[in-house]
Amino acid sequence: DTAVQDSCARTRSLCMNRPIASSLLLAVAVAVNHDCPHQANGCGGTAEERAEEARRRARLVSLDAPWNEVREAVVDACGLQVQQSTSHCFQDFNHVDCCTMDSTRQHETNEASRVAGMHAVNYLGSHIVDASISERGPGGSWCTCQISSPEDVCHRQFGARTAFKLVWCRGTGFAALLDDYANVLSHGKPTSARGEPPAMGGARAREQSWRVLDESKNASWASRWRAACDEVQYGAKAEAAEAEEHDEL
């Protein structure tokens, strides 16, 4: 996938488009998470305590602020340190899922899960261990790729539910943090003095990010994301219009 390859190139190959030593491959897990995300209890790789803490903090993030502050707050809410290895997190069209996975799943690769559009290995374990804030609960965190959602890296490779996802509603500058069931945790419109957010792609990245969700092969999940964005973008206007119409009657 050209878009994914371009994104990885811009983010220092954190999608791991490079070979891994055979001795390391023997040590990492290659589980197939068939039931995640489609079964209620199928995502056994979720670090539940860590996910709940991430959602709690996401609810406190104000998205109506300068983008650089918003992004760092979102990275922190996810349970990740703001450092060089996470500089791409929530900064392009693709790395927008806050995935909190059990410690037994941190070193799983894409070899068996075969997420479409991703590198065949996609080993992230060492980055997860290095960047995760341990005080946020057992397990680790990472800003995983949303490509092929909901058959994506978090759900398929790690067998975990996303704690939250950064969504650029309908490709506009309006952002929302949604949990794995598309419940709205926070929403707003980030500002920027240096071009449009996010930094890696601006308006084009927002449009591309929304397209991944809007054109998902899973119609029910796509419908959830659209409904959530309609709620936060147009809900108040729709309610006001309805009230006005009733007044006229």
Side-chain angles (χ1 to χ4, degrees), residues 189-213:
K189 192 171 184 178
T191 60
S192 178
R194 298 182 178 180
E196 296 186 50
M200 296 178 181
R204 181 174 178 272
R206 297 197 306 266
E207 293 166 2
Q208 193 172 4
S209 188
W210 176 253
R211 194 177 306 123
V212 170
L213 306 182

Side-chain angles (χ1 to χ4, degrees), residues 10-72:
R10 290 195 301 271
T11 57
R12 298 178 180 273
S13 298
L14 284 174
C15 285
M16 300 306 294
N17 291 320
R18 59 178 182 269
I20 298 176
S22 57
S23 59
L24 179 57
L25 287 177
L26 291 175
V28 299
V30 288
V32 182
N33 302 296
H34 290 299
D35 295 333
C36 187
H38 305 296
Q39 299 296 324
N41 298 317
C43 299
T46 309
E48 298 290 357
E49 179 183 334
R50 195 175 186 86
E52 183 55 40
E53 179 63 11
R55 286 189 290 270
R56 185 187 73 80
R57 289 173 178 268
R59 292 186 185 97
L60 301 176
V61 174
S62 172
L63 297 180
D64 292 311
W67 170 244
N68 63 320
E69 297 177 12
V70 169
R71 192 198 74 85
E72 291 190 359

Side-chain angles (χ1 to χ4, degrees), residues 79-249:
L80 289 167
Q81 299 178 61
V82 177
Q83 59 186 35
Q84 180 60 39
S85 69
T86 60
S87 62
H88 68 297
C89 291
F90 309 102
Q91 195 70 292
D92 62 4
F93 85 97
N94 199 21
H95 297 86
V96 295
D97 287 352
C98 172
C99 186
T100 54
M101 72 292 290
D102 185 85
S103 59
T104 62
R105 307 290 185 102
Q106 290 177 161
H107 296 281
E108 289 190 359
T109 71
N110 191 37
E111 292 172 279
S113 49
R114 298 177 182 271
V115 176
M118 295 303 301
H119 184 264
V121 178
N122 195 41
Y123 176 70
L124 297 167
S126 59
H127 298 296
I128 294 169
V129 172
D130 176 66
S132 295
I133 301 173
S134 59
E135 292 80 8
R136 300 293 174 81
S141 301
W142 195 248
C143 55
T144 52
C145 295
Q146 71 162 350
I147 199 80
S148 300
S149 284
E151 306 287 339
D152 49 44
V153 171
C154 190
H155 293 108
R156 303 293 290 168
Q157 180 172 327
F158 294 110
R161 291 196 176 277
T162 56
F164 62 80
K165 170 191 287 288
L166 172 66
V167 176
W168 293 102
C169 289
R170 300 191 182 278
T172 67
F174 199 93
L177 298 178
L178 309 181
D179 70 11
D180 208 42
Y181 300 95
N183 295 309
V184 180
L185 304 177
S186 183
H187 61 87
K189 192 171 184 178
T191 60
S192 178
R194 298 182 178 180
E196 296 186 50
M200 296 178 181
R204 181 174 178 272
R206 297 197 306 266
E207 293 166 2
Q208 193 172 4
S209 188
W210 176 253
R211 194 177 306 123
V212 170
L213 306 182
D214 190 45
E215 298 179 0
S216 171
K217 293 180 180 179
N218 190 309
S220 64
W221 282 65
S223 179
R224 290 185 201 175
W225 295 317
R226 293 188 201 104
C229 279
D230 285 348
E231 174 190 340
V232 297
Q233 281 188 286
Y234 312 121
K237 292 182 179 179
E239 290 172 4
E242 184 178 354
E244 184 177 344
E245 182 178 340
H246 289 169
D247 289 342
E248 292 175 354
L249 293 174

